[in-house]
Amino acid sequence: MALLVQKFGGTSVGSVERIKAVAERISRCRDEGNDVVVVVSAMGHTTDELTGLAAAITDTPPQREMDMLLASGEQVSIALLAMALNQRGVAAVSMTGPQVGIVTESTHGRARILDIRTDRIRGHLADGRVVVVAGFQGTSSGAGGVAEITTLGRGGSDTSAVALAAALNADACEIYTDVPGVLSTDPRKVVDAQLMDEISCDEMLELASLGASVLHPRAVEIARNYGVLMVVRSSWSEAPGTRLTSRRGRVLNQAGLELGSPVDGVEQMEHQAVIALSHIPDQPGIAARLFETLSGAGINVDLIIQSTHDGTSNDITFTVAETDLDAARRVSQTVLDNLGGELAAEGGMTKLSISGAGIMGRPGIAAGLFHCLSQQGINLRLIATSEVKVSCVIDADAGRKALQAVQEAFDVDDAQVVLNSDLNSSNEPEVRGVALDRDQAQLSVRHVPDRPGTAAALCSALAERGISLDAIVQSERQHGDGSRDISFILRRDDRSLADVALAPLLAQWPGAALEEGEAIARVSAVGAGMPATPGTAGRMFRALAGAGINIALIATSEIRTSCVVAEQDGVAALQAVHAGFGLGGQEQRTARGSGSPLDS
Ligand code: ADP
Ligand code: ASP
Ligand code: MG
């Protein structure tokens, strides 16, 4: 007999018929002899509708009242599902998050789970009941110890389910939704998206944080950290869906289920070189030509960063192994000969990375890394950020000092340090999936001083307000006064708060000013085999060039490559990149089976 946690999303319980169908499914699972804890979302679009009601009253609803409002959605569906189960003769009891004892931080609207009391649930299971728990909500002890309702953030029922599975030490956590599992991309935007049998938690974390809304990134983080067996499958069929794979999990964190440092490793790659091309024309196809020529010459490029200046020309900076420095310089020069622009190349670099899960979701972590390096007087040549890794390229001379400082800052012992890892050991696909995020905005800070600590100060100021940034790009190009520009992207929701957060810094930096970017979309490719496969970036840029799409910004990390494009090009860019990597297949519509909401 197994203990299963099964989560049903909004569409899966979107109507009375659907609730009855879910009850029937749970009943069969009970008949097979399993203990079942069910987590449900609010019915259909309830959460959106409730948000709309609030917006019709005020632009600035108190977060406490928003939580009070939104938590009501899940309370409806748990009661109805428990009724449907009892009606079928399956003993069931519904419980809100506070009734279970899902204890969270007090941050309304995006609370993290600290602890889940399991005694009441276990009692009901022992008495033979199915326990139906409201997803997305918990309780915190507010001011004066009065219990407050909190919510975990949009899409947070996935996180409730996996956290319950971890706390109960369940045999599996099954996420039932309106697609057959995790697909190579969003089937609503690309009709021939393909189902995956399995995906690693690291890849899924990247995809989820880059816009693949099928899973809440924090749910994947918990599954990875605690080794929860997690499956995503359709609530319309019996097909097995997609299994998430992870290494062995750790024991439950006493400091708080979702707390603790997300950093569990430090990596250092020595003998790196940086090639910087500047003042190259801002036209589609140039990045494609450059990186195709490099891979044609057998050169494996690691990090790539591109930013646009004054809307007319681009800087592209990338890193290669030092042994490839001369060849990369020669090849880049031949490309530049036809275009114009300047080239600088420099060896003697080291890449230092922190790795883990949920790094970008906690903005203080990247800021902490940059701060730690700036305290040592170390200048950052290149920065690459992602949900599972943040890397900095620095002078090799500073490598040893930097490693020691970072290990201390993040409490990482020697056994968790990887030096000069071998890239050739992977059998993973270069690209497993692609994702689109249209909720991002681009910002540039012009004329920031060129000295250690600038990126750290910027990140810290934003982190203090809970703002994460992605794709932080420092220009190679310097202004006449020696200052540089830093561009980054952030969630559009955080855009106005960023003004407030950055104002004190801008006042300290003479001549510095914020510049608004255009409306953007970010398209990203993710694959564990990417670092070991030469030419991945070139193929992605070629796919975009082939669709006539200009790339405004490029940022890579170890297992992902992201391109920022104009917002109106977003879906076309996603389709082009999906096709460019050969991820499409026969249309999924027929394979998905009848009755699926995507068919209608
Ligand atoms: P639920 O209400 O069940 O939680 P969501 O709407 O949150 O469902 O997530 C399922 C949706 O995620 C799908 O309908 C699909 O449009 C979208 N999606 C985005 N990227 C992917 C992907 N890579 N694989 C599967 N679905 C995806
Ligand atoms: N009902 C919440 C939402 O729509 C939580 C969830 O469905 O996961 O965001
Ligand atoms: Mg969801």
Side-chain angles (χ1 to χ4, degrees), residues 468-490:
S468 273
L469 15 152
D470 181 33
I472 315 168
V473 179
Q474 308 190 83
S475 66
E476 279 294 314
R477 203 181 287 195
Q478 279 179 298
H479 296 289
D481 60 358
S483 66
R484 294 182 191 268
D485 300 337
I486 295 188
S487 303
F488 53 89
I489 65 178
L490 72 172

Side-chain angles (χ1 to χ4, degrees), residues 384-436:
T385 55
S386 92
E387 192 68 350
V388 298
K389 193 162 278 193
V390 181
S391 305
C392 299
V393 177
I394 58 177
D395 278 340
D397 297 345
R400 186 178 291 263
K401 183 168 73 169
L403 178 62
Q404 208 173 4
V406 170
Q407 272 189 261
E408 262 168 44
F410 292 97
D411 196 18
V412 171
D413 60 38
D414 290 346
Q416 296 167 291
V417 175
V418 178
L419 280 179
N420 300 321
S421 75
D422 177 13
L423 288 183
N424 297 323
S425 53
S426 165
N427 296 318
E428 304 293 335
E430 70 173 318
V431 174
R432 184 143 355 226
V434 297
L436 177 69

Side-chain angles (χ1 to χ4, degrees), residues 7-12 41 155 158 176-179 181-188 196 204 207 211-215 434 598:
K7 179 253 169 180
F8 293 88
T11 335
S12 301
S41 295
D158 299 333
Y176 286 91
T177 184
D178 61 356
V179 281
V182 180
L183 305 175
S184 50
T185 192
D186 188 343
R188 288 180 200 276
M196 312 173 189
M204 192 63 233
L207 282 172
S213 55
V214 62
L215 285 177
V434 297
L598 288 185

